[in-house]
mmCIF file with all atom_site columns, all heavy atoms in Angstrom:
data_model
loop_
_atom_site.group_PDB
_atom_site.id
_atom_site.type_symbol
_atom_site.label_atom_id
_atom_site.label_alt_id
_atom_site.label_comp_id
_atom_site.label_asym_id
_atom_site.label_entity_id
_atom_site.label_seq_id
_atom_site.pdbx_PDB_ins_code
_atom_site.Cartn_x
_atom_site.Cartn_y
_atom_site.Cartn_z
_atom_site.occupancy
_atom_site.B_iso_or_equiv
_atom_site.pdbx_formal_charge
_atom_site.auth_seq_id
_atom_site.auth_comp_id
_atom_site.auth_asym_id
_atom_site.auth_atom_id
_atom_site.pdbx_PDB_model_num
ATOM 1  N N   . SER A 1 4  ? 70.567 73.534 52.357 1.00 0.00 ? 4  SER A N   1
ATOM 2  C CA  . SER A 1 4  ? 70.723 72.682 53.527 1.00 0.00 ? 4  SER A CA  1
ATOM 3  C C   . SER A 1 4  ? 72.158 72.280 53.819 1.00 0.00 ? 4  SER A C   1
ATOM 4  O O   . SER A 1 4  ? 72.478 71.818 54.891 1.00 0.00 ? 4  SER A O   1
ATOM 5  C CB  . SER A 1 4  ? 69.897 71.395 53.354 1.00 0.00 ? 4  SER A CB  1
ATOM 6  O OG  . SER A 1 4  ? 70.437 70.641 52.292 1.00 0.00 ? 4  SER A OG  1
ATOM 7  N N   . GLY A 1 5  ? 73.020 72.402 52.823 1.00 0.00 ? 5  GLY A N   1
ATOM 8  C CA  . GLY A 1 5  ? 74.379 71.931 53.020 1.00 0.00 ? 5  GLY A CA  1
ATOM 9  C C   . GLY A 1 5  ? 74.510 70.446 52.758 1.00 0.00 ? 5  GLY A C   1
ATOM 10 O O   . GLY A 1 5  ? 75.544 69.846 53.017 1.00 0.00 ? 5  GLY A O   1
ATOM 11 N N   . HIS A 1 6  ? 73.462 69.803 52.227 1.00 0.00 ? 6  HIS A N   1
ATOM 12 C CA  . HIS A 1 6  ? 73.479 68.365 51.979 1.00 0.00 ? 6  HIS A CA  1
ATOM 13 C C   . HIS A 1 6  ? 73.278 68.090 50.497 1.00 0.00 ? 6  HIS A C   1
ATOM 14 O O   . HIS A 1 6  ? 72.464 67.290 50.090 1.00 0.00 ? 6  HIS A O   1
ATOM 15 C CB  . HIS A 1 6  ? 72.396 67.658 52.800 1.00 0.00 ? 6  HIS A CB  1
ATOM 16 C CG  . HIS A 1 6  ? 72.590 67.803 54.272 1.00 0.00 ? 6  HIS A CG  1
ATOM 17 N ND1 . HIS A 1 6  ? 73.448 67.017 55.007 1.00 0.00 ? 6  HIS A ND1 1
ATOM 18 C CD2 . HIS A 1 6  ? 72.044 68.665 55.166 1.00 0.00 ? 6  HIS A CD2 1
ATOM 19 C CE1 . HIS A 1 6  ? 73.407 67.357 56.287 1.00 0.00 ? 6  HIS A CE1 1
ATOM 20 N NE2 . HIS A 1 6  ? 72.573 68.355 56.408 1.00 0.00 ? 6  HIS A NE2 1
ATOM 21 N N   . GLY A 1 7  ? 74.010 68.812 49.662 1.00 0.00 ? 7  GLY A N   1
ATOM 22 C CA  . GLY A 1 7  ? 73.852 68.612 48.224 1.00 0.00 ? 7  GLY A CA  1
ATOM 23 C C   . GLY A 1 7  ? 73.073 69.757 47.614 1.00 0.00 ? 7  GLY A C   1
ATOM 24 O O   . GLY A 1 7  ? 72.422 70.525 48.303 1.00 0.00 ? 7  GLY A O   1
ATOM 25 N N   . THR A 1 8  ? 73.125 69.886 46.300 1.00 0.00 ? 8  THR A N   1
ATOM 26 C CA  . THR A 1 8  ? 72.426 70.964 45.621 1.00 0.00 ? 8  THR A CA  1
ATOM 27 C C   . THR A 1 8  ? 70.984 70.574 45.354 1.00 0.00 ? 8  THR A C   1
ATOM 28 O O   . THR A 1 8  ? 70.616 69.415 45.353 1.00 0.00 ? 8  THR A O   1
ATOM 29 C CB  . THR A 1 8  ? 73.128 71.274 44.282 1.00 0.00 ? 8  THR A CB  1
ATOM 30 O OG1 . THR A 1 8  ? 73.041 70.120 43.448 1.00 0.00 ? 8  THR A OG1 1
ATOM 31 C CG2 . THR A 1 8  ? 74.582 71.645 44.510 1.00 0.00 ? 8  THR A CG2 1
ATOM 32 N N   . MET A 1 9  ? 70.157 71.601 45.097 1.00 0.00 ? 9  MET A N   1
ATOM 33 C CA  . MET A 1 9  ? 68.741 71.357 44.861 1.00 0.00 ? 9  MET A CA  1
ATOM 34 C C   . MET A 1 9  ? 68.499 70.561 43.578 1.00 0.00 ? 9  MET A C   1
ATOM 35 O O   . MET A 1 9  ? 67.525 69.830 43.471 1.00 0.00 ? 9  MET A O   1
ATOM 36 C CB  . MET A 1 9  ? 67.993 72.690 44.791 1.00 0.00 ? 9  MET A CB  1
ATOM 37 C CG  . MET A 1 9  ? 67.992 73.447 46.100 1.00 0.00 ? 9  MET A CG  1
ATOM 38 S SD  . MET A 1 9  ? 67.240 72.494 47.415 1.00 0.00 ? 9  MET A SD  1
ATOM 39 C CE  . MET A 1 9  ? 68.066 73.183 48.818 1.00 0.00 ? 9  MET A CE  1
ATOM 40 N N   . THR A 1 10 ? 69.377 70.726 42.621 1.00 0.00 ? 10 THR A N   1
ATOM 41 C CA  . THR A 1 10 ? 69.186 70.006 41.356 1.00 0.00 ? 10 THR A CA  1
ATOM 42 C C   . THR A 1 10 ? 69.461 68.514 41.496 1.00 0.00 ? 10 THR A C   1
ATOM 43 O O   . THR A 1 10 ? 69.137 67.739 40.605 1.00 0.00 ? 10 THR A O   1
ATOM 44 C CB  . THR A 1 10 ? 70.111 70.598 40.265 1.00 0.00 ? 10 THR A CB  1
ATOM 45 O OG1 . THR A 1 10 ? 71.460 70.578 40.748 1.00 0.00 ? 10 THR A OG1 1
ATOM 46 C CG2 . THR A 1 10 ? 69.713 72.030 39.952 1.00 0.00 ? 10 THR A CG2 1
ATOM 47 N N   . ASP A 1 11 ? 70.082 68.106 42.621 1.00 0.00 ? 11 ASP A N   1
ATOM 48 C CA  . ASP A 1 11 ? 70.376 66.692 42.849 1.00 0.00 ? 11 ASP A CA  1
ATOM 49 C C   . ASP A 1 11 ? 69.223 65.943 43.507 1.00 0.00 ? 11 ASP A C   1
ATOM 50 O O   . ASP A 1 11 ? 69.300 64.727 43.674 1.00 0.00 ? 11 ASP A O   1
ATOM 51 C CB  . ASP A 1 11 ? 71.615 66.538 43.745 1.00 0.00 ? 11 ASP A CB  1
ATOM 52 C CG  . ASP A 1 11 ? 72.874 67.032 43.057 1.00 0.00 ? 11 ASP A CG  1
ATOM 53 O OD1 . ASP A 1 11 ? 72.888 67.035 41.814 1.00 0.00 ? 11 ASP A OD1 1
ATOM 54 O OD2 . ASP A 1 11 ? 73.816 67.431 43.761 1.00 0.00 ? 11 ASP A OD2 1
ATOM 55 N N   . LEU A 1 12 ? 68.173 66.653 43.896 1.00 0.00 ? 12 LEU A N   1
ATOM 56 C CA  . LEU A 1 12 ? 67.083 66.008 44.624 1.00 0.00 ? 12 LEU A CA  1
ATOM 57 C C   . LEU A 1 12 ? 66.356 65.004 43.733 1.00 0.00 ? 12 LEU A C   1
ATOM 58 O O   . LEU A 1 12 ? 65.939 65.332 42.625 1.00 0.00 ? 12 LEU A O   1
ATOM 59 C CB  . LEU A 1 12 ? 66.084 67.053 45.134 1.00 0.00 ? 12 LEU A CB  1
ATOM 60 C CG  . LEU A 1 12 ? 66.552 67.937 46.294 1.00 0.00 ? 12 LEU A CG  1
ATOM 61 C CD1 . LEU A 1 12 ? 65.526 69.030 46.566 1.00 0.00 ? 12 LEU A CD1 1
ATOM 62 C CD2 . LEU A 1 12 ? 66.778 67.101 47.540 1.00 0.00 ? 12 LEU A CD2 1
ATOM 63 N N   . PRO A 1 13 ? 66.163 63.785 44.219 1.00 0.00 ? 13 PRO A N   1
ATOM 64 C CA  . PRO A 1 13 ? 65.386 62.802 43.448 1.00 0.00 ? 13 PRO A CA  1
ATOM 65 C C   . PRO A 1 13 ? 63.898 63.106 43.572 1.00 0.00 ? 13 PRO A C   1
ATOM 66 O O   . PRO A 1 13 ? 63.500 63.965 44.351 1.00 0.00 ? 13 PRO A O   1
ATOM 67 C CB  . PRO A 1 13 ? 65.737 61.476 44.134 1.00 0.00 ? 13 PRO A CB  1
ATOM 68 C CG  . PRO A 1 13 ? 66.055 61.872 45.549 1.00 0.00 ? 13 PRO A CG  1
ATOM 69 C CD  . PRO A 1 13 ? 66.690 63.236 45.470 1.00 0.00 ? 13 PRO A CD  1
ATOM 70 N N   . PRO A 1 14 ? 63.050 62.422 42.815 1.00 0.00 ? 14 PRO A N   1
ATOM 71 C CA  . PRO A 1 14 ? 61.604 62.646 42.940 1.00 0.00 ? 14 PRO A CA  1
ATOM 72 C C   . PRO A 1 14 ? 61.136 62.519 44.388 1.00 0.00 ? 14 PRO A C   1
ATOM 73 O O   . PRO A 1 14 ? 61.632 61.670 45.137 1.00 0.00 ? 14 PRO A O   1
ATOM 74 C CB  . PRO A 1 14 ? 61.001 61.549 42.051 1.00 0.00 ? 14 PRO A CB  1
ATOM 75 C CG  . PRO A 1 14 ? 62.057 61.291 41.025 1.00 0.00 ? 14 PRO A CG  1
ATOM 76 C CD  . PRO A 1 14 ? 63.363 61.461 41.743 1.00 0.00 ? 14 PRO A CD  1
ATOM 77 N N   . PHE A 1 15 ? 60.196 63.362 44.755 1.00 0.00 ? 15 PHE A N   1
ATOM 78 C CA  . PHE A 1 15 ? 59.747 63.439 46.147 1.00 0.00 ? 15 PHE A CA  1
ATOM 79 C C   . PHE A 1 15 ? 58.935 62.209 46.550 1.00 0.00 ? 15 PHE A C   1
ATOM 80 O O   . PHE A 1 15 ? 58.042 61.767 45.827 1.00 0.00 ? 15 PHE A O   1
ATOM 81 C CB  . PHE A 1 15 ? 58.894 64.687 46.360 1.00 0.00 ? 15 PHE A CB  1
ATOM 82 C CG  . PHE A 1 15 ? 58.332 64.801 47.744 1.00 0.00 ? 15 PHE A CG  1
ATOM 83 C CD1 . PHE A 1 15 ? 59.110 65.271 48.781 1.00 0.00 ? 15 PHE A CD1 1
ATOM 84 C CD2 . PHE A 1 15 ? 57.023 64.403 48.016 1.00 0.00 ? 15 PHE A CD2 1
ATOM 85 C CE1 . PHE A 1 15 ? 58.601 65.374 50.071 1.00 0.00 ? 15 PHE A CE1 1
ATOM 86 C CE2 . PHE A 1 15 ? 56.502 64.499 49.294 1.00 0.00 ? 15 PHE A CE2 1
ATOM 87 C CZ  . PHE A 1 15 ? 57.295 64.982 50.328 1.00 0.00 ? 15 PHE A CZ  1
#
Side-chain angles (χ1 to χ4, degrees):
S4 66
H6 298 278
T8 63
M9 294 301 153
T10 55
D11 294 335
L12 288 173
F15 177 80

